[in-house]
Amino acid sequence: MQKDINIFIELVEQLLLEEKSQPVAKPIPTSDLYNQLDLSLNENGLIDDDLKNILKDIIKSTPKTASKSFFNQLFGGRIGKAALGDLLAVMFNNSMYTYKVAGPHVGIEKQVIHNICELAGYSKNSDGTLAPGGSMSNMMALTMARDYKNGSIRTHGLNRLMTLYTSKESHYSISKNAALTGIGRNQVRHVNTNNKGELLAEHLGELVQKDINDGYEPFFVNATAGTTVLGAFDDIEAISKVCKKHKLWLHVDGAYCGGVIFSKTYKQLIKGLELSDSFSVNAHKMLGTPLSCSIIVTQHKAQLHHSFSNEADYLYQTDSDDFNLGKTSLQCGRRNDALKLWTLWKSIGTNGLEKIVDKQFEMADIARTYINNHKDYTLHSFDDSISICFSYKDIAAKEICTALYENSKLMVGFGKFNNQEFVRMVTINSVLEKEDILAFFETLESYVSSTLLNISAS
Ligand SMILES: Cc1ncc(COP(=O)(O)O)c(C=O)c1O
């Protein structure tokens, strides 16, 4: 093992150097992937030096999501202490289903969940678990809501059409999960948003009432804390009133920006969170842990157990259900995703996590100010968001983003709202500084003027 640890350290050192010298890796065209890299699996193995060389080639062309040129997705950067926790989890190789096999890591996960429930303002009757990503956390919420409405679905299956509600701007996992949980995509109602991409509670009420009149059984509403494109926050308090009136489960999907629970300044964006039935947050997005670290909590502890527990004599042989976490989880064998967040949290405290979150909003403000002060740009997103959506000189966003990527300049994606396509820059990497934000615009502008505009002119 020691030999492999030495190889690992050597490879990681190369990765860290590459991140600095070539922050956007040269992409390999898919048609050439198997020619450029030796990805083959063969009868005979390799000596360590040959294996190392192949891994070094792979490192070179792996997209550098921790570099300061990565603004593409809703994660990025690398925080040492969180990576340390995750590396240890790999070495421990526990499975989180029982106390017997995971030992103190059960306590670690329970502590993380407990503190997140407290920050969410949830009652003592709350509990939660970790799922393999925000999509799966949303599916757990949907499953609990379905079973909460009708306890016999777990055994008998659906006996009438049930409807759920989410905004047009919410994540696609809501519709996908409707299909997976037997609700059916046709029973997903997409609620209108205002011009900032926030769900309109009034329209929600109308849709629910119409479904009741038409004989459907409404049961679930998803509010988003940080929509995937614009980073908008739905009005939880207004939505909650509709949910209370019609006895609907309210889930808050905070996969992207639920991390604001750590910030005294930005917590107001999720005002009313304590009125929700469940809440999910991806620590691998705003909190900067490695993928994946998604937490789902609910105020209905018994429902979590009811929806996800299953007897298994061959597995649960010691200790109570409270410490055998397989009884409240989606999976059987489960990776230890809590340790990376706990290690980070323990080392920098809640105040440190607050600084991580606040920094992202600070960088977003810098980017918006830059855009507003430069006439070639048009801003399409809004304050209090870490998604900065803009267009530049009327050049198609797709063209800009693809050219920057293919030429190893920047990684940034594009999105759409109200039929307007734009570049979406995300300031989620908490190690970014003002100069990195300004460098982003400088790179974009010089690349466009030297290349794209020349191409368009010729
Ligand atoms: C609002 C929202 N919910 C859920 C998800 C899905 O999270 P994951 O990618 O961890 O499945 C995302 C991902 O970007 C998201 O933006």
Side-chain angles (χ1 to χ4, degrees):
M1 189 67 217
Q2 189 56 51
K3 221 165 66 170
D4 290 330
I5 290 177
N6 293 343
I7 294 176
F8 176 75
I9 292 171
E10 189 184 327
L11 292 175
V12 168
E13 277 166 0
Q14 186 206 329
L15 169 63
L16 297 179
L17 288 175
E18 291 265 342
E19 274 172 10
K20 286 216 172 76
S21 64
Q22 184 70 40
V24 182
K26 192 168 162 25
I28 303 177
T30 51
S31 56
D32 213 22
L33 180 62
Y34 292 94
N35 298 328
Q36 285 203 27
L37 294 176
D38 178 5
L39 305 181
S40 64
L41 293 168
N42 307 303
E43 291 287 311
N44 296 316
L46 296 176
I47 58 163
D48 279 358
D49 275 350
D50 289 347
L51 177 66
K52 213 162 62 179
N53 286 335
I54 292 174
L55 287 170
K56 283 186 175 178
D57 289 343
I58 293 174
I59 288 173
K60 261 192 191 313
S61 44
T62 297
K64 303 297 183 297
T65 62
S67 87
K68 291 183 162 198
S69 302
F70 184 81
F71 296 84
N72 199 73
Q73 231 89 49
L74 310 183
F75 70 94
R78 184 184 298 111
I79 303 178
K81 288 295 189 299
L84 166 69
D86 209 17
L87 291 169
L88 270 180
V90 170
M91 296 305 282
F92 288 138
N93 200 30
N94 298 113
S95 179
M96 297 305 292
Y97 40 35
T98 62
Y99 187 70
K100 188 179 179 187
V101 174
H105 298 279
V106 168
I108 283 171
E109 180 169 314
K110 282 165 75 71
Q111 188 69 49
V112 165
I113 288 164
H114 172 80
N115 284 40
I116 288 184
C117 286
E118 271 193 343
L119 287 167
Y122 274 13
S123 69
K124 292 233 167 336
N125 196 30
S126 307
D127 198 2
T129 183
L130 279 89
S135 303
M136 290 298 105
S137 285
N138 286 343
M139 184 159 93
M140 292 189 79
L142 194 62
T143 308
M144 285 189 281
R146 186 199 64 183
D147 298 347
Y148 190 69
K149 191 68 164 183
N150 180 346
S152 73
I153 291 176
R154 216 177 150 238
T155 44
H156 292 75
L158 287 177
N159 58 3
R160 65 184 284 205
L161 287 176
M162 301 173 84
T163 46
L164 67 94
Y165 306 81
T166 192
S167 93
K168 290 189 157 103
E169 290 301 303
S170 65
H171 190 253
Y172 72 80
S173 58
I174 304 295
S175 292
K176 184 165 155 178
N177 291 334
L180 296 175
T181 52
I183 301 299
R185 286 179 190 260
N186 288 353
Q187 277 62 253
V188 179
R189 306 290 182 248
H190 284 108
V191 186
N192 291 341
T193 63
N194 63 16
N195 60 5
K196 290 179 161 182
E198 302 157 354
L199 184 148
L200 283 171
E202 205 182 326
H203 188 226
L204 168 68
E206 287 162 18
L207 290 176
V208 172
Q209 192 55 59
K210 178 169 184 333
D211 279 330
I212 294 170
N213 297 347
D214 291 346
Y216 292 99
E217 187 169 38
F219 75 106
F220 176 85
V221 177
N222 173 66
T224 310
T227 57
T228 309
V229 174
L230 288 178
F233 289 80
D234 290 339
D235 181 342
I236 300 172
E237 284 181 336
I239 295 170
S240 158
K241 285 191 186 127
V242 180
C243 293
K244 289 277 168 302
K245 180 172 170 199
H246 296 286
K247 298 195 172 57
L248 310 175
W249 181 289
L250 173 56
H251 173 62
V252 177
D253 173 5
Y256 181 17
C257 297
V260 295
I261 53 171
F262 289 95
S263 167
K264 288 186 269 303
T265 312
Y266 295 98
K267 203 172 176 168
Q268 44 89 17
L269 296 170
I270 46 162
K271 208 155 135 255
L273 181 63
E274 69 285 355
L275 303 169
S276 65
D277 297 285
S278 56
F279 166 62
S280 52
V281 52
N282 276 0
H284 66 255
K285 294 192 191 288
M286 268 196 146
L287 304 181
T289 71
L291 280 136
S292 65
C293 187
S294 183
I295 301 113
I296 160 103
V297 290
T298 174
Q299 309 228 44
H300 307 276
K301 182 180 165 117
Q303 190 58 54
L304 181 69
H305 190 269
H306 182 68
S307 287
F308 296 101
S309 66
N310 212 97
E311 289 309 320
D313 293 346
Y314 47 79
L315 181 62
Y316 302 112
Q317 300 180 340
T318 63
D319 308 294
S320 65
D321 279 6
D322 249 9
F323 278 79
N324 285 332
L325 300 181
K327 288 285 179 82
T328 46
S329 105
L330 192 61
Q331 301 133 274
C332 177
R334 182 162 61 90
R335 188 174 196 280
N336 182 355
D337 283 333
L339 185 59
K340 53 194 147 194
L341 175 55
W342 182 88
T343 309
L344 174 65
W345 199 335
K346 189 80 178 162
S347 72
I348 63 174
T350 309
N351 292 338
L353 293 178
E354 174 175 35
K355 284 196 186 117
I356 286 178
V357 171
D358 287 356
K359 182 84 176 294
Q360 294 163 36
F361 283 98
E362 192 193 327
M363 293 303 114
D365 282 341
I366 290 169
R368 270 187 297 270
T369 304
Y370 184 92
I371 288 168
N372 285 329
N373 288 340
H374 289 78
K375 65 176 175 33
D376 289 333
Y377 290 87
T378 310
L379 186 66
H380 299 284
S381 58
F382 306 93
D383 286 352
D384 290 337
S385 164
I386 61 165
S387 292
I388 302 94
C389 303
F390 64 87
S391 44
Y392 179 63
K393 286 191 170 173
D394 290 333
I395 305 172
K398 182 176 179 178
E399 197 183 343
I400 296 182
C401 296
T402 308
L404 288 169
Y405 158 66
E406 288 180 347
N407 292 283
S408 306
K409 299 292 178 198
L410 286 171
M411 285 189 78
V412 62
F414 51 93
K416 212 179 199 181
F417 177 62
N418 280 347
N419 291 325
Q420 169 74 49
E421 196 158 81
F422 38 63
V423 179
R424 180 193 59 169
M425 170 202 202
V426 183
T427 56
I428 203 158
N429 177 352
S430 63
V431 302
L432 292 176
E433 297 293 345
K434 181 174 182 180
E435 60 265 25
D436 303 311
I437 304 296
L438 299 182
F440 170 92
F441 291 112
E442 200 184 305
T443 307
L444 184 151
E445 288 160 24
S446 63
Y447 186 75
V448 166
S449 69
S450 68
T451 313
L452 285 186
L453 289 182
N454 288 341
I455 294 171
S456 305
S458 60

